[in-house]
Amino acid sequence: WLLLVVIYWSLATPRVAGLLFAWLCGMVIDVVSGTVLGEHAFAFLLIGFLTHRLQLRMRIFPIWQQAFVVLLMLLIYQFLIFWIDGMTGQAVMTWHRWFPGIVGAAIWPVVASVMDSVNRRFAR
């Protein structure tokens, strides 16, 4: 959920929600979940960087194409976490690790529309 929020704010307001925002959100996930410190922060930072690089293109995509790009980003995130867990000797469960990416892409249109309404309400 938090990564979807980071992706949205990186698309909507790239100057406000930058790479520092993505890194801090990843550090919060690391501290709350008790994983290797910096694991999620690195993955969030990479996804934030990719979002910033693609934000001009993604903003003009229809919502279904945005959902596809978000799916790719979420799968990259899941692969990075999977890889880091494997390198650090964490227990790696393979089959259920990929479902959050698919679910996140499926709910992206809803998340984007809700966040758009929140953004418009606070922009006044």
Side-chain angles (χ1 to χ4, degrees), residues 67-85:
F68 180 72
V69 174
V70 167
L71 171 67
L72 293 178
M73 287 185 189
L74 293 175
L75 292 179
I76 289 169
Y77 168 79
Q78 292 296 334
F79 176 75
L80 281 172
I81 299 301
F82 175 75
W83 180 64
I84 292 170
D85 282 348

Side-chain angles (χ1 to χ4, degrees), residues 16-29:
V16 175
L19 297 179
L20 180 64
F21 174 69
W23 183 79
L24 287 173
C25 289
M27 286 300 280
V28 167
I29 295 292

Side-chain angles (χ1 to χ4, degrees), residues 100-118:
I102 296 167
V103 171
I107 65 169
W108 173 253
V110 175
V111 170
S113 65
V114 168
M115 296 297 285
D116 277 340
S117 66
V118 169

Side-chain angles (χ1 to χ4, degrees), residues 43-57:
F44 269 57
L45 184 65
L46 181 68
I47 297 304
F49 173 75
L50 289 174
T51 304
H52 276 279
R53 294 289 295 169
L54 298 173
Q55 65 102 4
L56 290 177
R57 293 180 199 149

